[in-house]
Amino acid sequence: MPIQVCFMIMPFGKKSTGAETGKGPAQIDFDALWDRALRPMIQDDLHYLPIRADQDAGALIIKAMIERLAISDLVIADLTIPNANVYYEVGVRHAAQKVGCVLIAADWSKPLFDVAQMRRLTYPFSDGTVTEESATVIRETLKDGIRQVMNHISPVYETLPGYPARVNAAQLESFRDVVEKLARLQSEVSLARGLPANLAATEVKRLVDLYGEDAGAVPSVALDLAGLLRDTRQWAAALKFIDGLPQRIREMPVMREQRALVLGKNGQMLEAISELETLIRIEGDSSERSGLLGGRYKVLHETAADAQSKSLYLNKAIGSYERGMMLDLNDYFPTCNLPRLYRERKQSDDEEKAVTAARLTLVGCQRAIKRNPDDPWIRPTLLGAAFDAGDVFTARKLLDEYNQAAVAPFQIQSTIPDLRRSLSLLADTETSFRLASILAEFQRLLDPNGTVIALAGRRVDAPGTKDRDRRFPPENETKVAQRIRNMLVAAASTSVVSSAACGADILALESAAELGLSRRVVLPFSRARFRSTSVTDRGDEWGRRFDTIVADLDKEDIIELDLEGSDDEAYAATNVRILDEAAAMATNANQRALAAVVWNGLTRGASDLTDAFRRLATEKKLETIAVPTL
């Protein structure tokens, strides 16, 4: 009787499983599993000659491996961990032979979704090591099952009548209809991405309703629709769509990445971080996953209002981006975020690191352009690098190129905050203003009619303020005024609504006048009382500037609330009115309202009215721009 050969597909050596704590061992010794359980079972119980790929003295070249997969009488594949070589070899066997491929896995494992749909045998294996006792249990569990399923037909042969000699596409279930439907969907998705925001929401909803049932069956449809909801900034709808998908599609790694991104954009930052960290533990890390994680920590850093949290999240953002950079030096996304974060942290070697990261970004972008010139993220990334370098010529050239390309609002919205951050780090007045004008053109891709700015911020510090209590040092007035002016230009603002206290308010109203923007002032008390309590207590010069501003405004643009009660209550009510006025003005002019907060980035606690304004703007779903005073 001829010798029958069983080719075993499995990892070798000790491998990490990625299993959750309590749901499987952290590591498996696959060599021990082979030597003590699987090889004896194949040889003594099934009576096949056991062959394992790594037994050769040298590595098997792909030709030899394919030959053995194709001609072996039996192939057994262990899918306990998601090993790429094992999955590839299973595919080869399924295509090469009609029968004789058996899938096995530990009973706690979670194979990838496509293979999870196929018949497989499981065996108990709670410990990553293999004892004589556990080896016996594994053998007894598998041997009869393998005999029963070893002649089951391969899914390739089962699905394709006549394979491999004569495959008739007309006989395949809805083949042509499916191809046509997928092509039509991709065309409609592409068109929807290019629609104005006021038309896109209706069209996207139509497509989700039309193809929603297909998304539950075809992963590519689900990914197209999830990406469309993302790119049109419909965060709540995107999260609802993803969470409504079947589990096998919802748990695809790429879909979990999209869900984490959507969670963050929906304001659920901690849930987004948890989703990404869980995905990394189970499926392994990648530059994309660490980059997404860095982005979530970056937002937490930007929105944190106490020094300890800002420092913690800044370091976590840098650590995540650095990990993503090291995982793939050709991926420009993690590296492009690092220069600004290093410069904000300001450790001894951070400027040197920022320069290195910027160079890696340029190299990564140049490589990406050659590989995929249609990548929509390359030009905004290079635009950010030009802003970092204060390179007006390159920034202008890149913006012109970007204007000629098909641009999704999602990409613009994701890029603008980084350009603003770069702008705030530039000291040269002329360069920063020219870049602000370029950024304004970029902003108008989102807001063609411009924006209305609701603004609040720190009053200038009183004389004698201690260093630890400094929030707006008087010597920073010129620098802060420049930043406010750049912010108004870059945001494509046409109007400013604020109070008129000494410091941020007056600087903003003066800059708005220089730029020819409309201004509206909201005062909690009569102008005389407000002038004495919130302006001239920092010097008579502030009072003269206040008088000039008020004298230049029309009567309807000065709102005196004449509020009673405590000053804190009155100023809190003023914050509400500023935001409401800006929202109403934006609605009337078919514009978007944004909130600007001019401050040191740290809260004084419950009594901090600037922080209260920031939090209220966030609750009202307004995009918030921070302008630093330090």
Side-chain angles (χ1 to χ4, degrees), residues 15 76 82 99 106 137 144 187 211 229 246 295 337 345 452 533 555 569 604:
K15 294 289 188 295
I76 301 175
V99 297
V137 172
D144 291 336
S187 297
Y211 293 102
L229 287 163
N337 288 278
R345 189 171 65 174
V452 178
T533 60
K555 183 177 180 180
E569 291 173 344
R604 299 198 312 267

Side-chain angles (χ1 to χ4, degrees), residues 22-23 46 55 113 182 217 253 295-296 324 395 444 453 478 484 568 589 595:
K23 296 185 178 179
L46 301 178
Q55 284 183 313
F113 83 95
L182 288 175
R296 310 293 72 76
R444 288 191 186 94
I453 299 292
T478 300
I484 292 174
D568 282 353

Side-chain angles (χ1 to χ4, degrees), residues 464-484:
T465 299
K466 296 179 179 179
D467 286 346
R468 67 173 184 272
D469 297 324
R470 284 156 63 92
R471 289 180 280 275
F472 187 168
E475 62 268 25
N476 286 1
E477 180 186 330
T478 300
K479 180 164 55 177
V480 174
Q482 175 189 326
R483 290 171 179 168
I484 292 174

Side-chain angles (χ1 to χ4, degrees), residues 431-443:
T431 298
S432 64
F433 185 73
R434 291 170 68 188
L435 287 173
S437 299
I438 292 174
L439 181 49
E441 296 183 40
F442 204 53
Q443 182 77 49

Side-chain angles (χ1 to χ4, degrees), residues 240-299:
K240 181 179 179 182
F241 171 76
I242 293 172
D243 286 347
L245 292 169
Q247 183 178 358
R248 67 183 184 86
I249 296 179
R250 191 174 65 248
E251 292 188 355
M252 291 169 55
V254 66
M255 189 63 77
R256 293 187 69 174
E257 291 172 1
Q258 293 303 306
R259 185 174 187 274
L261 176 63
V262 169
L263 280 168
K265 295 295 184 180
N266 205 40
Q268 298 167 257
M269 211 61 63
L270 296 180
E271 292 93 329
I273 289 171
S274 176
E275 178 82 0
L276 286 166
E277 290 182 340
T278 300
L279 180 60
I280 289 170
R281 281 198 303 271
I282 294 174
E283 301 291 346
D285 206 351
S286 67
S287 61
E288 175 74 11
R289 290 165 194 168
S290 277
L292 285 169
L293 191 59
R296 310 293 72 76
Y297 280 124
K298 183 177 72 171
V299 172

Side-chain angles (χ1 to χ4, degrees), residues 35-286:
D35 289 333
R36 297 175 186 173
L38 299 180
R39 184 186 56 76
M41 176 194 69
I42 294 169
Q43 180 174 291
D44 301 333
D45 299 324
L46 301 178
H47 306 295
Y48 282 74
L49 175 65
I51 300 293
R52 188 178 177 214
D54 66 293
Q55 284 183 313
D56 279 9
L60 276 175
I61 61 173
I62 191 168
K63 180 180 178 182
M65 180 269 291
I66 291 175
E67 287 176 351
R68 295 187 182 192
L69 287 168
I71 66 175
S72 292
D73 301 284
L74 175 64
V75 169
I76 301 175
D78 192 304
L79 305 177
T80 298
I81 64 172
N83 182 283
N85 288 343
V86 171
Y87 276 71
Y88 175 79
E89 291 165 23
V90 167
V92 171
R93 175 63 180 197
H94 278 162
Q97 289 288 348
K98 188 173 184 178
V99 297
C101 184
V102 178
L103 309 182
I104 66 172
D107 52 12
W108 46 263
S109 69
K110 294 177 64 176
L112 300 181
F113 83 95
D114 49 355
V115 177
Q117 299 176 68
M118 302 176 189
R119 185 183 293 107
R120 60 194 172 92
L121 304 176
T122 61
Y123 56 89
F125 193 26
S126 59
D127 193 341
T129 59
V130 184
T131 64
E132 292 300 327
E133 181 181 357
S134 63
T136 300
V137 172
I138 292 171
R139 288 176 60 175
E140 292 298 319
T141 302
L142 290 175
K143 64 181 184 180
D144 291 336
I146 290 174
R147 291 192 186 101
Q148 292 172 12
V149 303
M150 60 195 303
N151 289 319
H152 285 178
I153 298 175
S154 149
V156 176
Y157 283 80
E158 190 174 41
T159 304
L160 303 176
Y163 178 86
R166 295 182 300 278
V167 178
N168 185 349
Q171 293 180 333
L172 303 183
E173 184 179 355
S174 305
F175 177 77
R176 296 189 183 281
D177 290 343
V178 169
V179 170
E180 184 176 344
K181 180 177 277 191
L182 288 175
R184 185 167 62 250
L185 166 65
Q186 290 167 2
S187 297
E188 290 180 306
V189 164
S190 179
L191 289 171
R193 280 195 175 98
L195 290 175
N198 59 335
L199 300 176
T202 301
E203 177 61 9
V204 171
K205 184 179 184 305
R206 183 187 74 81
L207 292 177
V208 171
D209 290 343
L210 179 62
Y211 293 102
E213 186 174 341
D214 298 297
V218 183
S220 63
V221 174
L223 287 167
D224 280 342
L225 293 177
L228 179 59
L229 287 163
R230 175 203 66 200
D231 291 351
T232 52
R233 299 181 291 165
Q234 299 184 59
W235 309 121
L239 185 59
K240 181 179 179 182
F241 171 76
I242 293 172
D243 286 347
L245 292 169
Q247 183 178 358
R248 67 183 184 86
I249 296 179
R250 191 174 65 248
E251 292 188 355
M252 291 169 55
V254 66
M255 189 63 77
R256 293 187 69 174
E257 291 172 1
Q258 293 303 306
R259 185 174 187 274
L261 176 63
V262 169
L263 280 168
K265 295 295 184 180
N266 205 40
Q268 298 167 257
M269 211 61 63
L270 296 180
E271 292 93 329
I273 289 171
S274 176
E275 178 82 0
L276 286 166
E277 290 182 340
T278 300
L279 180 60
I280 289 170
R281 281 198 303 271
I282 294 174
E283 301 291 346
D285 206 351
S286 67

